[in-house]
């Protein structure tokens, strides 16, 4: 089941996205990270799930909600 999750790329862009455990359609799984498109910066990057408590105030303010 997909869950809305906060995702961060290698350049620390943060955005909301779906993260399905054990499956990936638009990304390549590499252990706990995935290679895919950063929706906030529109570039290819390693993506990782982020807990909301790990975000800085600046990241919370720039949390990108991509379609």
């Amino acid at each position: 089941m997909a869950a809305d999750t906060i995702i961060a790329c290698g350049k620390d862009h943060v955005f909301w996205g779906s993260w399905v455990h054990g499956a990936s359609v638009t990304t390549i799984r590499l252990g706990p990270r995935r290679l895919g498109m950063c929706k906030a910066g529109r570039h290819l990057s390693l993506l990782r799930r982020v807990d909301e408590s790990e975000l800085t105030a600046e990241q919370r303010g720039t949390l990108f909600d991509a379609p």
Side-chain angles (χ1 to χ4, degrees), residues 6-49:
I6 300 173
I7 300 171
C9 77
K11 293 186 177 181
D12 282 335
H13 296 133
V14 290
F15 56 93
W16 287 100
S18 295
W19 193 278
V20 180
H21 293 284
S24 56
V25 176
T26 60
T27 61
I28 298 171
R29 287 185 291 152
L30 302 169
R33 296 178 186 248
R34 296 180 181 184
L35 180 64
M37 289 298 293
C38 170
K39 293 179 183 179
R42 306 224 189 272
H43 58 90
L44 190 62
S45 185
L46 280 178
L47 307 174
R48 64 183 172 85
R49 294 178 59 208

